[in-house]
Amino acid sequence: MNLKVKSILFFLIYQISKNELIFYLLPNKTKMEGLSSIFSGKTVAIKTSDGFELSVPFEIAKMSETIKNVIEDAGEEHPIDLITVNKKAAERFVKYYEYHLTHPYPEGYRDKLRMDQVIDFDKELCDIPHNELFELTIASDYLGAEDLKILACITIANKIKEIGQPNLPGDPVQRIRDYLGIENDFTPDEEERLRKENKWVFLNYLAEEEDNQDTEEKNEEKITEVENYDEEF
């Protein structure tokens, strides 16, 4: 797996442990300025890393900072080589911006977006095998498509949180390793020592889960009280 992508993923795991995973997913407004109509019919040719040539609407192509810079520097007469973007990732890039250029987010839409607030289209776009999701992360990073990269990362982070639940069978650390394709190169003694030294991480996580459960129970009690009160009067 790409080292930069691994760094992004590990940062996300850290943020999950602190329950501070908030992202900005609105399209960059400056990219939208000056478009008198959404699509002009003009296209740009791109060549993917697996040898496919695609014709991309000009307005969508310029949502990639990488493609935009190539066009400005070298023109668009020849297909633009995308050395780390395969066909599937390129098609998802096009699909994402094709939708969000023609269906912009509502004004003021969730400026700070959490994992459980991703819209249905974005969820469906990233509902793909994890290896393709990693490829999409690498591709969007290379393309300079920041909002798509963040969406891919938030989806991965959500999956990590899901499979890392301590109440599931097996070792949550090993489940996350398997998902990310990380080989465990610690000896049993080293792993045991690290678990003891970092025991506070697991204790904090369990404490947060208990606090969340207590809050939910208190909310349910309040709802029951209100319902009982309404029935009496």
Side-chain angles (χ1 to χ4, degrees), residues 171-205:
D171 180 8
V173 175
Q174 188 56 48
R175 287 198 298 271
I176 293 172
R177 282 198 191 107
D178 293 341
Y179 179 71
L180 297 177
I182 299 173
E183 183 180 350
N184 181 12
D185 55 359
F186 293 113
T187 66
D189 290 341
E190 288 174 333
E191 187 165 350
E192 182 63 25
R193 176 176 57 80
L194 288 169
R195 285 179 181 273
K196 288 180 179 178
E197 290 176 355
N198 297 280
K199 188 176 181 181
W200 60 272
V201 174
F202 300 97
L203 293 177
N204 286 349
Y205 178 80

PDB file of all heavy atoms in Angstrom, residues 171-205:
ATOM      1  N   ASP A 171      -9.697 -10.620  17.649  1.00  0.00           N
ATOM      2  CA  ASP A 171      -8.869  -9.497  18.072  1.00  0.00           C
ATOM      3  C   ASP A 171      -9.133  -8.288  17.172  1.00  0.00           C
ATOM      4  O   ASP A 171      -8.909  -8.361  15.968  1.00  0.00           O
ATOM      5  CB  ASP A 171      -7.392  -9.906  17.997  1.00  0.00           C
ATOM      6  CG  ASP A 171      -6.458  -8.791  18.432  1.00  0.00           C
ATOM      7  OD1 ASP A 171      -6.951  -7.769  18.939  1.00  0.00           O
ATOM      8  OD2 ASP A 171      -5.232  -8.954  18.265  1.00  0.00           O
ATOM      9  N   PRO A 172      -9.613  -7.165  17.730  1.00  0.00           N
ATOM     10  CA  PRO A 172      -9.900  -5.995  16.877  1.00  0.00           C
ATOM     11  C   PRO A 172      -8.663  -5.458  16.161  1.00  0.00           C
ATOM     12  O   PRO A 172      -8.760  -4.984  15.031  1.00  0.00           O
ATOM     13  CB  PRO A 172     -10.464  -4.962  17.867  1.00  0.00           C
ATOM     14  CG  PRO A 172     -10.022  -5.410  19.215  1.00  0.00           C
ATOM     15  CD  PRO A 172      -9.945  -6.901  19.137  1.00  0.00           C
ATOM     16  N   VAL A 173      -7.512  -5.536  16.816  1.00  0.00           N
ATOM     17  CA  VAL A 173      -6.279  -5.061  16.190  1.00  0.00           C
ATOM     18  C   VAL A 173      -5.965  -5.900  14.950  1.00  0.00           C
ATOM     19  O   VAL A 173      -5.605  -5.367  13.889  1.00  0.00           O
ATOM     20  CB  VAL A 173      -5.098  -5.100  17.176  1.00  0.00           C
ATOM     21  CG1 VAL A 173      -3.796  -4.729  16.475  1.00  0.00           C
ATOM     22  CG2 VAL A 173      -5.348  -4.165  18.352  1.00  0.00           C
ATOM     23  N   GLN A 174      -6.126  -7.212  15.060  1.00  0.00           N
ATOM     24  CA  GLN A 174      -5.841  -8.096  13.935  1.00  0.00           C
ATOM     25  C   GLN A 174      -6.858  -7.890  12.813  1.00  0.00           C
ATOM     26  O   GLN A 174      -6.503  -7.953  11.630  1.00  0.00           O
ATOM     27  CB  GLN A 174      -5.852  -9.555  14.387  1.00  0.00           C
ATOM     28  CG  GLN A 174      -5.363 -10.532  13.325  1.00  0.00           C
ATOM     29  CD  GLN A 174      -3.966 -10.198  12.817  1.00  0.00           C
ATOM     30  OE1 GLN A 174      -3.056  -9.966  13.608  1.00  0.00           O
ATOM     31  NE2 GLN A 174      -3.797 -10.161  11.506  1.00  0.00           N
ATOM     32  N   ARG A 175      -8.113  -7.618  13.172  1.00  0.00           N
ATOM     33  CA  ARG A 175      -9.128  -7.366  12.144  1.00  0.00           C
ATOM     34  C   ARG A 175      -8.760  -6.124  11.332  1.00  0.00           C
ATOM     35  O   ARG A 175      -8.914  -6.104  10.112  1.00  0.00           O
ATOM     36  CB  ARG A 175     -10.507  -7.187  12.791  1.00  0.00           C
ATOM     37  CG  ARG A 175     -11.133  -8.465  13.312  1.00  0.00           C
ATOM     38  CD  ARG A 175     -12.619  -8.307  13.536  1.00  0.00           C
ATOM     39  NE  ARG A 175     -12.932  -7.295  14.533  1.00  0.00           N
ATOM     40  CZ  ARG A 175     -13.034  -7.510  15.845  1.00  0.00           C
ATOM     41  NH1 ARG A 175     -12.854  -8.739  16.319  1.00  0.00           N
ATOM     42  NH2 ARG A 175     -13.337  -6.546  16.686  1.00  0.00           N
ATOM     43  N   ILE A 176      -8.284  -5.084  12.023  1.00  0.00           N
ATOM     44  CA  ILE A 176      -7.886  -3.856  11.329  1.00  0.00           C
ATOM     45  C   ILE A 176      -6.648  -4.114  10.468  1.00  0.00           C
ATOM     46  O   ILE A 176      -6.547  -3.628   9.344  1.00  0.00           O
ATOM     47  CB  ILE A 176      -7.631  -2.724  12.342  1.00  0.00           C
ATOM     48  CG1 ILE A 176      -8.945  -2.331  13.020  1.00  0.00           C
ATOM     49  CG2 ILE A 176      -7.004  -1.511  11.655  1.00  0.00           C
ATOM     50  CD1 ILE A 176      -8.788  -1.356  14.160  1.00  0.00           C
ATOM     51  N   ARG A 177      -5.699  -4.906  11.010  1.00  0.00           N
ATOM     52  CA  ARG A 177      -4.515  -5.269  10.213  1.00  0.00           C
ATOM     53  C   ARG A 177      -4.924  -5.968   8.924  1.00  0.00           C
ATOM     54  O   ARG A 177      -4.411  -5.668   7.842  1.00  0.00           O
ATOM     55  CB  ARG A 177      -3.603  -6.192  11.022  1.00  0.00           C
ATOM     56  CG  ARG A 177      -2.738  -5.520  12.068  1.00  0.00           C
ATOM     57  CD  ARG A 177      -1.602  -6.446  12.448  1.00  0.00           C
ATOM     58  NE  ARG A 177      -0.892  -5.964  13.613  1.00  0.00           N
ATOM     59  CZ  ARG A 177      -0.960  -6.497  14.832  1.00  0.00           C
ATOM     60  NH1 ARG A 177      -1.749  -7.539  15.032  1.00  0.00           N
ATOM     61  NH2 ARG A 177      -0.278  -6.001  15.831  1.00  0.00           N
ATOM     62  N   ASP A 178      -5.843  -6.928   9.044  1.00  0.00           N
ATOM     63  CA  ASP A 178      -6.291  -7.686   7.873  1.00  0.00           C
ATOM     64  C   ASP A 178      -6.943  -6.765   6.853  1.00  0.00           C
ATOM     65  O   ASP A 178      -6.712  -6.895   5.640  1.00  0.00           O
ATOM     66  CB  ASP A 178      -7.278  -8.784   8.291  1.00  0.00           C
ATOM     67  CG  ASP A 178      -6.610  -9.876   9.126  1.00  0.00           C
ATOM     68  OD1 ASP A 178      -5.364  -9.988   9.078  1.00  0.00           O
ATOM     69  OD2 ASP A 178      -7.339 -10.601   9.832  1.00  0.00           O
ATOM     70  N   TYR A 179      -7.761  -5.827   7.331  1.00  0.00           N
ATOM     71  CA  TYR A 179      -8.465  -4.906   6.429  1.00  0.00           C
ATOM     72  C   TYR A 179      -7.480  -4.009   5.686  1.00  0.00           C
ATOM     73  O   TYR A 179      -7.627  -3.760   4.486  1.00  0.00           O
ATOM     74  CB  TYR A 179      -9.453  -4.063   7.232  1.00  0.00           C
ATOM     75  CG  TYR A 179     -10.207  -3.055   6.395  1.00  0.00           C
ATOM     76  CD1 TYR A 179     -11.185  -3.459   5.490  1.00  0.00           C
ATOM     77  CD2 TYR A 179      -9.934  -1.688   6.509  1.00  0.00           C
ATOM     78  CE1 TYR A 179     -11.867  -2.544   4.717  1.00  0.00           C
ATOM     79  CE2 TYR A 179     -10.620  -0.763   5.733  1.00  0.00           C
ATOM     80  CZ  TYR A 179     -11.586  -1.189   4.845  1.00  0.00           C
ATOM     81  OH  TYR A 179     -12.254  -0.271   4.074  1.00  0.00           O
ATOM     82  N   LEU A 180      -6.467  -3.527   6.388  1.00  0.00           N
ATOM     83  CA  LEU A 180      -5.496  -2.616   5.785  1.00  0.00           C
ATOM     84  C   LEU A 180      -4.351  -3.342   5.086  1.00  0.00           C
ATOM     85  O   LEU A 180      -3.512  -2.702   4.446  1.00  0.00           O
ATOM     86  CB  LEU A 180      -4.915  -1.677   6.857  1.00  0.00           C
ATOM     87  CG  LEU A 180      -5.908  -0.741   7.536  1.00  0.00           C
ATOM     88  CD1 LEU A 180      -5.207   0.077   8.611  1.00  0.00           C
ATOM     89  CD2 LEU A 180      -6.571   0.184   6.526  1.00  0.00           C
ATOM     90  N   GLY A 181      -4.307  -4.670   5.224  1.00  0.00           N
ATOM     91  CA  GLY A 181      -3.237  -5.427   4.598  1.00  0.00           C
ATOM     92  C   GLY A 181      -1.891  -5.206   5.269  1.00  0.00           C
ATOM     93  O   GLY A 181      -0.853  -5.190   4.601  1.00  0.00           O
ATOM     94  N   ILE A 182      -1.904  -5.052   6.601  1.00  0.00           N
ATOM     95  CA  ILE A 182      -0.677  -4.806   7.353  1.00  0.00           C
ATOM     96  C   ILE A 182      -0.224  -6.100   8.021  1.00  0.00           C
ATOM     97  O   ILE A 182      -0.983  -6.722   8.759  1.00  0.00           O
ATOM     98  CB  ILE A 182      -0.900  -3.719   8.433  1.00  0.00           C
ATOM     99  CG1 ILE A 182      -1.302  -2.404   7.772  1.00  0.00           C
ATOM    100  CG2 ILE A 182       0.350  -3.535   9.283  1.00  0.00           C
ATOM    101  CD1 ILE A 182      -1.706  -1.326   8.758  1.00  0.00           C
ATOM    102  N   GLU A 183       1.000  -6.496   7.750  1.00  0.00           N
ATOM    103  CA  GLU A 183       1.539  -7.722   8.336  1.00  0.00           C
ATOM    104  C   GLU A 183       2.013  -7.446   9.761  1.00  0.00           C
ATOM    105  O   GLU A 183       2.653  -6.423  10.037  1.00  0.00           O
ATOM    106  CB  GLU A 183       2.709  -8.238   7.503  1.00  0.00           C
ATOM    107  CG  GLU A 183       3.280  -9.553   8.009  1.00  0.00           C
ATOM    108  CD  GLU A 183       4.440 -10.039   7.147  1.00  0.00           C
ATOM    109  OE1 GLU A 183       4.656  -9.444   6.072  1.00  0.00           O
ATOM    110  OE2 GLU A 183       5.109 -10.998   7.556  1.00  0.00           O
ATOM    111  N   ASN A 184       1.679  -8.345  10.663  1.00  0.00           N
ATOM    112  CA  ASN A 184       2.113  -8.210  12.056  1.00  0.00           C
ATOM    113  C   ASN A 184       3.546  -8.713  12.170  1.00  0.00           C
ATOM    114  O   ASN A 184       3.811  -9.912  12.117  1.00  0.00           O
ATOM    115  CB  ASN A 184       1.190  -9.013  12.979  1.00  0.00           C
ATOM    116  CG  ASN A 184       1.594  -8.873  14.443  1.00  0.00           C
ATOM    117  OD1 ASN A 184       2.414  -8.024  14.782  1.00  0.00           O
ATOM    118  ND2 ASN A 184       1.019  -9.712  15.294  1.00  0.00           N
ATOM    119  N   ASP A 185       4.493  -7.776  12.333  1.00  0.00           N
ATOM    120  CA  ASP A 185       5.899  -8.172  12.424  1.00  0.00           C
ATOM    121  C   ASP A 185       6.419  -8.107  13.859  1.00  0.00           C
ATOM    122  O   ASP A 185       7.623  -8.162  14.092  1.00  0.00           O
ATOM    123  CB  ASP A 185       6.765  -7.299  11.504  1.00  0.00           C
ATOM    124  CG  ASP A 185       6.591  -5.814  11.781  1.00  0.00           C
ATOM    125  OD1 ASP A 185       5.791  -5.466  12.673  1.00  0.00           O
ATOM    126  OD2 ASP A 185       7.242  -5.000  11.106  1.00  0.00           O
ATOM    127  N   PHE A 186       5.492  -8.006  14.837  1.00  0.00           N
ATOM    128  CA  PHE A 186       5.893  -8.042  16.242  1.00  0.00           C
ATOM    129  C   PHE A 186       5.972  -9.491  16.725  1.00  0.00           C
ATOM    130  O   PHE A 186       5.157 -10.335  16.328  1.00  0.00           O
ATOM    131  CB  PHE A 186       4.897  -7.291  17.129  1.00  0.00           C
ATOM    132  CG  PHE A 186       4.866  -5.811  16.897  1.00  0.00           C
ATOM    133  CD1 PHE A 186       3.745  -5.204  16.353  1.00  0.00           C
ATOM    134  CD2 PHE A 186       5.962  -5.014  17.223  1.00  0.00           C
ATOM    135  CE1 PHE A 186       3.707  -3.837  16.137  1.00  0.00           C
ATOM    136  CE2 PHE A 186       5.931  -3.648  17.011  1.00  0.00           C
ATOM    137  CZ  PHE A 186       4.806  -3.064  16.466  1.00  0.00           C
ATOM    138  N   THR A 187       6.918  -9.764  17.594  1.00  0.00           N
ATOM    139  CA  THR A 187       6.939 -11.059  18.262  1.00  0.00           C
ATOM    140  C   THR A 187       5.843 -11.049  19.328  1.00  0.00           C
ATOM    141  O   THR A 187       5.392  -9.980  19.750  1.00  0.00           O
ATOM    142  CB  THR A 187       8.298 -11.310  18.925  1.00  0.00           C
ATOM    143  OG1 THR A 187       8.468 -10.360  19.996  1.00  0.00           O
ATOM    144  CG2 THR A 187       9.434 -11.167  17.925  1.00  0.00           C
ATOM    145  N   PRO A 188       5.387 -12.230  19.774  1.00  0.00           N
ATOM    146  CA  PRO A 188       4.360 -12.272  20.836  1.00  0.00           C
ATOM    147  C   PRO A 188       4.767 -11.468  22.070  1.00  0.00           C
ATOM    148  O   PRO A 188       3.926 -10.783  22.664  1.00  0.00           O
ATOM    149  CB  PRO A 188       4.248 -13.766  21.145  1.00  0.00           C
ATOM    150  CG  PRO A 188       4.628 -14.432  19.858  1.00  0.00           C
ATOM    151  CD  PRO A 188       5.699 -13.584  19.269  1.00  0.00           C
ATOM    152  N   ASP A 189       6.047 -11.529  22.461  1.00  0.00           N
ATOM    153  CA  ASP A 189       6.505 -10.781  23.635  1.00  0.00           C
ATOM    154  C   ASP A 189       6.432  -9.277  23.391  1.00  0.00           C
ATOM    155  O   ASP A 189       6.011  -8.514  24.276  1.00  0.00           O
ATOM    156  CB  ASP A 189       7.948 -11.178  23.989  1.00  0.00           C
ATOM    157  CG  ASP A 189       8.039 -12.591  24.543  1.00  0.00           C
ATOM    158  OD1 ASP A 189       6.995 -13.113  24.982  1.00  0.00           O
ATOM    159  OD2 ASP A 189       9.141 -13.165  24.522  1.00  0.00           O
ATOM    160  N   GLU A 190       6.835  -8.837  22.193  1.00  0.00           N
ATOM    161  CA  GLU A 190       6.786  -7.405  21.870  1.00  0.00           C
ATOM    162  C   GLU A 190       5.339  -6.915  21.853  1.00  0.00           C
ATOM    163  O   GLU A 190       5.037  -5.822  22.360  1.00  0.00           O
ATOM    164  CB  GLU A 190       7.430  -7.160  20.508  1.00  0.00           C
ATOM    165  CG  GLU A 190       8.947  -7.301  20.493  1.00  0.00           C
ATOM    166  CD  GLU A 190       9.517  -7.189  19.102  1.00  0.00           C
ATOM    167  OE1 GLU A 190       8.802  -7.515  18.124  1.00  0.00           O
ATOM    168  OE2 GLU A 190      10.689  -6.779  18.978  1.00  0.00           O
ATOM    169  N   GLU A 191       4.459  -7.717  21.293  1.00  0.00           N
ATOM    170  CA  GLU A 191       3.058  -7.314  21.213  1.00  0.00           C
ATOM    171  C   GLU A 191       2.435  -7.220  22.601  1.00  0.00           C
ATOM    172  O   GLU A 191       1.691  -6.282  22.899  1.00  0.00           O
ATOM    173  CB  GLU A 191       2.272  -8.301  20.341  1.00  0.00           C
ATOM    174  CG  GLU A 191       0.857  -7.847  20.072  1.00  0.00           C
ATOM    175  CD  GLU A 191       0.205  -8.611  18.941  1.00  0.00           C
ATOM    176  OE1 GLU A 191       0.907  -9.363  18.237  1.00  0.00           O
ATOM    177  OE2 GLU A 191      -1.013  -8.447  18.762  1.00  0.00           O
ATOM    178  N   GLU A 192       2.752  -8.176  23.460  1.00  0.00           N
ATOM    179  CA  GLU A 192       2.225  -8.152  24.827  1.00  0.00           C
ATOM    180  C   GLU A 192       2.726  -6.923  25.575  1.00  0.00           C
ATOM    181  O   GLU A 192       1.969  -6.263  26.291  1.00  0.00           O
ATOM    182  CB  GLU A 192       2.658  -9.439  25.563  1.00  0.00           C
ATOM    183  CG  GLU A 192       2.137  -9.552  26.984  1.00  0.00           C
ATOM    184  CD  GLU A 192       0.623  -9.629  27.049  1.00  0.00           C
ATOM    185  OE1 GLU A 192       0.001 -10.061  26.050  1.00  0.00           O
ATOM    186  OE2 GLU A 192       0.062  -9.261  28.098  1.00  0.00           O
ATOM    187  N   ARG A 193       3.999  -6.595  25.388  1.00  0.00           N
ATOM    188  CA  ARG A 193       4.572  -5.421  26.060  1.00  0.00           C
ATOM    189  C   ARG A 193       3.893  -4.142  25.577  1.00  0.00           C
ATOM    190  O   ARG A 193       3.547  -3.263  26.375  1.00  0.00           O
ATOM    191  CB  ARG A 193       6.074  -5.349  25.787  1.00  0.00           C
ATOM    192  CG  ARG A 193       6.755  -4.101  26.377  1.00  0.00           C
ATOM    193  CD  ARG A 193       8.248  -4.146  26.160  1.00  0.00           C
ATOM    194  NE  ARG A 193       8.609  -4.273  24.761  1.00  0.00           N
ATOM    195  CZ  ARG A 193       8.623  -3.243  23.899  1.00  0.00           C
ATOM    196  NH1 ARG A 193       8.290  -2.029  24.314  1.00  0.00           N
ATOM    197  NH2 ARG A 193       8.971  -3.427  22.639  1.00  0.00           N
ATOM    198  N   LEU A 194       3.676  -4.035  24.264  1.00  0.00           N
ATOM    199  CA  LEU A 194       3.031  -2.851  23.712  1.00  0.00           C
ATOM    200  C   LEU A 194       1.589  -2.715  24.188  1.00  0.00           C
ATOM    201  O   LEU A 194       1.118  -1.603  24.457  1.00  0.00           O
ATOM    202  CB  LEU A 194       3.066  -2.898  22.180  1.00  0.00           C
ATOM    203  CG  LEU A 194       4.435  -2.655  21.545  1.00  0.00           C
ATOM    204  CD1 LEU A 194       4.396  -2.982  20.058  1.00  0.00           C
ATOM    205  CD2 LEU A 194       4.851  -1.201  21.739  1.00  0.00           C
ATOM    206  N   ARG A 195       0.903  -3.830  24.305  1.00  0.00           N
ATOM    207  CA  ARG A 195      -0.479  -3.792  24.795  1.00  0.00           C
ATOM    208  C   ARG A 195      -0.532  -3.272  26.239  1.00  0.00           C
ATOM    209  O   ARG A 195      -1.416  -2.499  26.605  1.00  0.00           O
ATOM    210  CB  ARG A 195      -1.125  -5.173  24.700  1.00  0.00           C
ATOM    211  CG  ARG A 195      -1.515  -5.588  23.292  1.00  0.00           C
ATOM    212  CD  ARG A 195      -2.118  -6.975  23.266  1.00  0.00           C
ATOM    213  NE  ARG A 195      -2.479  -7.392  21.921  1.00  0.00           N
ATOM    214  CZ  ARG A 195      -3.631  -7.137  21.334  1.00  0.00           C
ATOM    215  NH1 ARG A 195      -4.554  -6.448  21.996  1.00  0.00           N
ATOM    216  NH2 ARG A 195      -3.882  -7.561  20.113  1.00  0.00           N
ATOM    217  N   LYS A 196       0.427  -3.715  27.045  1.00  0.00           N
ATOM    218  CA  LYS A 196       0.465  -3.266  28.438  1.00  0.00           C
ATOM    219  C   LYS A 196       0.821  -1.788  28.524  1.00  0.00           C
ATOM    220  O   LYS A 196       0.230  -1.036  29.306  1.00  0.00           O
ATOM    221  CB  LYS A 196       1.472  -4.098  29.229  1.00  0.00           C
ATOM    222  CG  LYS A 196       1.015  -5.529  29.491  1.00  0.00           C
ATOM    223  CD  LYS A 196       2.065  -6.306  30.281  1.00  0.00           C
ATOM    224  CE  LYS A 196       1.590  -7.732  30.561  1.00  0.00           C
ATOM    225  NZ  LYS A 196       2.621  -8.511  31.295  1.00  0.00           N
ATOM    226  N   GLU A 197       1.796  -1.374  27.717  1.00  0.00           N
ATOM    227  CA  GLU A 197       2.232   0.030  27.751  1.00  0.00           C
ATOM    228  C   GLU A 197       1.148   0.979  27.257  1.00  0.00           C
ATOM    229  O   GLU A 197       1.092   2.141  27.681  1.00  0.00           O
ATOM    230  CB  GLU A 197       3.489   0.210  26.901  1.00  0.00           C
ATOM    231  CG  GLU A 197       4.731  -0.441  27.483  1.00  0.00           C
ATOM    232  CD  GLU A 197       5.928  -0.318  26.556  1.00  0.00           C
ATOM    233  OE1 GLU A 197       5.748   0.202  25.423  1.00  0.00           O
ATOM    234  OE2 GLU A 197       7.034  -0.737  26.956  1.00  0.00           O
ATOM    235  N   ASN A 198       0.296   0.496  26.360  1.00  0.00           N
ATOM    236  CA  ASN A 198      -0.740   1.350  25.769  1.00  0.00           C
ATOM    237  C   ASN A 198      -2.138   0.928  26.191  1.00  0.00           C
ATOM    238  O   ASN A 198      -3.119   1.186  25.479  1.00  0.00           O
ATOM    239  CB  ASN A 198      -0.632   1.320  24.242  1.00  0.00           C
ATOM    240  CG  ASN A 198       0.689   1.876  23.749  1.00  0.00           C
ATOM    241  OD1 ASN A 198       0.875   3.082  23.675  1.00  0.00           O
ATOM    242  ND2 ASN A 198       1.616   0.983  23.426  1.00  0.00           N
ATOM    243  N   LYS A 199      -2.222   0.330  27.362  1.00  0.00           N
ATOM    244  CA  LYS A 199      -3.506  -0.144  27.868  1.00  0.00           C
ATOM    245  C   LYS A 199      -4.512   0.990  27.984  1.00  0.00           C
ATOM    246  O   LYS A 199      -5.718   0.807  27.817  1.00  0.00           O
ATOM    247  CB  LYS A 199      -3.293  -0.820  29.222  1.00  0.00           C
ATOM    248  CG  LYS A 199      -4.521  -1.526  29.770  1.00  0.00           C
ATOM    249  CD  LYS A 199      -4.189  -2.243  31.064  1.00  0.00           C
ATOM    250  CE  LYS A 199      -5.407  -2.970  31.606  1.00  0.00           C
ATOM    251  NZ  LYS A 199      -5.107  -3.670  32.880  1.00  0.00           N
ATOM    252  N   TRP A 200      -4.027   2.200  28.267  1.00  0.00           N
ATOM    253  CA  TRP A 200      -4.913   3.357  28.443  1.00  0.00           C
ATOM    254  C   TRP A 200      -5.749   3.638  27.199  1.00  0.00           C
ATOM    255  O   TRP A 200      -6.873   4.142  27.298  1.00  0.00           O
ATOM    256  CB  TRP A 200      -4.088   4.594  28.787  1.00  0.00           C
ATOM    257  CG  TRP A 200      -3.088   4.975  27.737  1.00  0.00           C
ATOM    258  CD1 TRP A 200      -1.820   4.536  27.600  1.00  0.00           C
ATOM    259  CD2 TRP A 200      -3.317   5.871  26.636  1.00  0.00           C
ATOM    260  NE1 TRP A 200      -1.219   5.093  26.492  1.00  0.00           N
ATOM    261  CE2 TRP A 200      -2.110   5.921  25.887  1.00  0.00           C
ATOM    262  CE3 TRP A 200      -4.400   6.648  26.222  1.00  0.00           C
ATOM    263  CZ2 TRP A 200      -1.979   6.705  24.748  1.00  0.00           C
ATOM    264  CZ3 TRP A 200      -4.264   7.427  25.085  1.00  0.00           C
ATOM    265  CH2 TRP A 200      -3.067   7.453  24.364  1.00  0.00           C
ATOM    266  N   VAL A 201      -5.209   3.300  26.010  1.00  0.00           N
ATOM    267  CA  VAL A 201      -5.962   3.539  24.775  1.00  0.00           C
ATOM    268  C   VAL A 201      -7.244   2.730  24.779  1.00  0.00           C
ATOM    269  O   VAL A 201      -8.333   3.243  24.496  1.00  0.00           O
ATOM    270  CB  VAL A 201      -5.109   3.176  23.536  1.00  0.00           C
ATOM    271  CG1 VAL A 201      -5.940   3.296  22.266  1.00  0.00           C
ATOM    272  CG2 VAL A 201      -3.876   4.056  23.461  1.00  0.00           C
ATOM    273  N   PHE A 202      -7.134   1.449  25.124  1.00  0.00           N
ATOM    274  CA  PHE A 202      -8.297   0.571  25.125  1.00  0.00           C
ATOM    275  C   PHE A 202      -9.260   0.943  26.248  1.00  0.00           C
ATOM    276  O   PHE A 202     -10.478   0.908  26.073  1.00  0.00           O
ATOM    277  CB  PHE A 202      -7.851  -0.887  25.274  1.00  0.00           C
ATOM    278  CG  PHE A 202      -6.946  -1.347  24.166  1.00  0.00           C
ATOM    279  CD1 PHE A 202      -5.570  -1.351  24.313  1.00  0.00           C
ATOM    280  CD2 PHE A 202      -7.479  -1.751  22.947  1.00  0.00           C
ATOM    281  CE1 PHE A 202      -4.746  -1.757  23.288  1.00  0.00           C
ATOM    282  CE2 PHE A 202      -6.652  -2.163  21.908  1.00  0.00           C
ATOM    283  CZ  PHE A 202      -5.281  -2.164  22.082  1.00  0.00           C
ATOM    284  N   LEU A 203      -8.712   1.324  27.409  1.00  0.00           N
ATOM    285  CA  LEU A 203      -9.565   1.716  28.530  1.00  0.00           C
ATOM    286  C   LEU A 203     -10.354   2.979  28.203  1.00  0.00           C
ATOM    287  O   LEU A 203     -11.547   3.079  28.511  1.00  0.00           O
ATOM    288  CB  LEU A 203      -8.705   1.943  29.785  1.00  0.00           C
ATOM    289  CG  LEU A 203      -8.039   0.685  30.365  1.00  0.00           C
ATOM    290  CD1 LEU A 203      -7.165   1.060  31.549  1.00  0.00           C
ATOM    291  CD2 LEU A 203      -9.090  -0.341  30.791  1.00  0.00           C
ATOM    292  N   ASN A 204      -9.698   3.958  27.561  1.00  0.00           N
ATOM    293  CA  ASN A 204     -10.391   5.187  27.169  1.00  0.00           C
ATOM    294  C   ASN A 204     -11.498   4.901  26.166  1.00  0.00           C
ATOM    295  O   ASN A 204     -12.585   5.476  26.231  1.00  0.00           O
ATOM    296  CB  ASN A 204      -9.405   6.194  26.577  1.00  0.00           C
ATOM    297  CG  ASN A 204      -8.535   6.849  27.629  1.00  0.00           C
ATOM    298  OD1 ASN A 204      -8.792   6.708  28.820  1.00  0.00           O
ATOM    299  ND2 ASN A 204      -7.499   7.550  27.199  1.00  0.00           N
ATOM    300  N   TYR A 205     -11.196   3.991  25.238  1.00  0.00           N
ATOM    301  CA  TYR A 205     -12.192   3.657  24.222  1.00  0.00           C
ATOM    302  C   TYR A 205     -13.415   3.018  24.867  1.00  0.00           C
ATOM    303  O   TYR A 205     -14.549   3.380  24.588  1.00  0.00           O
ATOM    304  CB  TYR A 205     -11.591   2.702  23.192  1.00  0.00           C
ATOM    305  CG  TYR A 205     -12.564   2.258  22.127  1.00  0.00           C
ATOM    306  CD1 TYR A 205     -12.859   3.080  21.047  1.00  0.00           C
ATOM    307  CD2 TYR A 205     -13.208   1.025  22.223  1.00  0.00           C
ATOM    308  CE1 TYR A 205     -13.763   2.690  20.073  1.00  0.00           C
ATOM    309  CE2 TYR A 205     -14.114   0.629  21.261  1.00  0.00           C
ATOM    310  CZ  TYR A 205     -14.385   1.462  20.182  1.00  0.00           C
ATOM    311  OH  TYR A 205     -15.289   1.059  19.242  1.00  0.00           O
TER     312      TYR A 205
END
